[in-house]
Amino acid sequence: MIVSKENKPLPVITDQTRPFWTAAKEGRFVMQKCQACGTFNFQPKPWCIECGSRDLEWAPAKPFGVVYSFTVSRSIAMNLAGWQDEMPLVMCLIDLDDGARMYGQLTDVDPETVRVGMRVAVHCESISEEAGIPKFRPHHD
């Protein structure tokens, strides 16, 4: 496992996933969008999860969604000390407004106030010289 200087795991960046990580590094939230049926895909893959088309392009995605499910970790995640300052750690499955479901960390929130259906917004954080990561914060429309 490759870790950052903060002792957190870094993603394995491939040709297929590079546009996602690079965009997040630049503060942009993008996902693969099928040009045949319009479905947004997450995780990046070579074909559309809905229709099977291989005509996918990277497109801006709406940076909002709702919490589908969540868990709160109150111990050091994955035995890496780099997570200590972020405890308790809230990890969620998010149903994005564009239709995809993705997982991510919910930040800037009291874990006791997190609820299924809570509105959230994406913010991107730099995690290495070549990657950023989308995270989520509570959002009030």
Side-chain angles (χ1 to χ4, degrees), residues 88-111:
L89 186 69
V90 182
M91 295 301 294
C92 298
L93 284 174
I94 306 293
D95 282 340
L96 296 167
D97 288 356
D98 278 327
R101 179 175 290 160
M102 73 179 290
Y103 52 87
Q105 182 180 355
L106 184 61
T107 64
D108 304 323
V109 66
D110 175 351

Side-chain angles (χ1 to χ4, degrees), residues 63-66 97 106-110 113-115 117-122 136-141:
F64 303 101
V66 297
D97 288 356
L106 184 61
T107 64
D108 304 323
V109 66
D110 175 351
T113 66
V114 179
R115 300 287 180 260
M118 173 186 231
R119 289 287 293 163
V120 295
V122 170
F136 297 88
R137 292 184 176 126
H139 179 75
H140 307 285
D141 291 321

Side-chain angles (χ1 to χ4, degrees), residues 17-82:
T17 63
R18 184 170 283 104
F20 177 80
W21 300 115
T22 300
K25 172 75 176 176
E26 297 167 353
R28 298 180 297 112
F29 182 56
V30 300
M31 297 181 87
Q32 286 179 317
K33 184 176 182 181
C34 178
Q35 300 306 293
C37 72
T39 298
F40 278 88
N41 290 288
F42 186 81
Q43 293 241 5
K45 42 187 73 52
W47 60 85
C48 175
I49 58 172
E50 190 64 32
C51 73
S53 171
R54 292 185 175 267
D55 189 10
L56 301 172
E57 291 185 11
W58 289 95
K62 293 177 186 172
F64 303 101
V66 297
V67 173
Y68 172 81
S69 180
F70 69 95
T71 189
V72 179
S73 176
R74 298 181 190 283
S75 62
I76 297 176
M78 299 181 291
N79 296 319
L80 294 174

